[in-house]
Amino acid sequence: MSDKRKILLDIDSMDAYRALFGLNDRNIALIEQECGVTVSLRGNEIFFSGEADDMDIAQAVIEKLVRMIQKGEQVDRSGIRYMIALAREDKLDEADEIMKSVVAITHRGKQIRCKTFGQQQYVKCIKDHDLTFAVGPAGTGKTYLAMALAVVALKNK
């Protein structure tokens, strides 16, 4: 049975709306596709329609994205997919912990952060042990995070 629901958005700028919805509404389309719901915006209210469990996940993800945007954090498609996966496992609160952990800061002042719980565990293992082996598919951040931590260690002598 399909239900309907609405939530009030606490967003005060068009840039925040743009960050939430993405270019050509790609972020919301991704949430609709992954969660199996329909999402629409009227004024400052978001309307959901779909199954109750699916709407719960979509609502939790959108509320988390709004909080991230208000803190000035970037929203990307891989982050949205990861948040949906965390919401399905009822672990969306872990996203805050992951997003807060700064691994290093570049010479230009950009923060290097873990994007997944696995990356966070990897960084913790590197910090806690003298030798760490990591196995995983290409593009998961193994070398990037290890090099960032190596540079931090070098700078800290």
Side-chain angles (χ1 to χ4, degrees):
M1 185 172 124
S2 184
D3 294 330
K4 294 192 178 204
R5 179 184 308 171
K6 74 176 179 178
I7 61 170
L8 186 66
L9 283 180
D10 187 25
I11 296 179
D12 55 0
S13 72
M14 282 306 292
D15 289 336
Y17 276 106
R18 232 177 280 128
L20 174 63
F21 279 79
L23 182 65
N24 296 326
D25 296 340
R26 286 184 183 161
N27 293 346
I28 294 298
L30 177 63
I31 292 171
E32 288 178 327
Q33 177 186 359
E34 294 285 325
C35 296
V37 298
T38 303
V39 180
S40 59
L41 176 72
R42 291 188 197 108
N44 63 341
E45 295 177 327
I46 289 190
F47 292 85
F48 299 92
S49 63
E51 298 297 322
D53 292 340
D54 296 335
M55 286 191 302
D56 290 342
I57 291 170
Q59 180 177 345
V61 168
I62 287 177
E63 288 171 350
K64 180 67 73 176
L65 289 173
V66 168
R67 287 193 296 275
M68 285 177 57
I69 291 167
Q70 288 172 339
K71 291 178 186 176
E73 297 176 21
Q74 295 294 320
V75 173
D76 62 354
R77 294 173 63 82
S78 64
I80 292 171
R81 281 192 181 100
Y82 188 65
M83 278 191 229
I84 292 169
L86 287 176
R88 284 196 175 116
E89 297 173 8
D90 202 25
K91 296 180 180 180
L92 194 56
D93 294 333
E94 291 179 8
D96 288 333
E97 185 181 325
I98 294 168
M99 299 298 175
K100 287 179 189 174
S101 62
V102 176
V103 175
I105 299 176
T106 67
H107 69 284
R108 292 188 179 144
K110 181 184 173 196
Q111 295 179 341
I112 298 173
R113 299 176 182 214
C114 296
K115 293 184 177 183
T116 66
F117 184 67
Q119 286 182 350
Q120 187 178 27
Q121 287 178 316
Y122 175 56
V123 167
K124 185 179 182 318
C125 285
I126 290 174
K127 288 180 178 180
D128 293 346
H129 299 91
D130 291 334
L131 184 63
T132 302
F133 289 95
V135 178
T140 56
K142 298 178 301 291
T143 305
Y144 185 75
L145 291 172
M147 290 300 296
L149 288 168
V151 169
V152 168
L154 182 66
K155 285 184 177 182
N156 291 336
K157 299 186 190 245

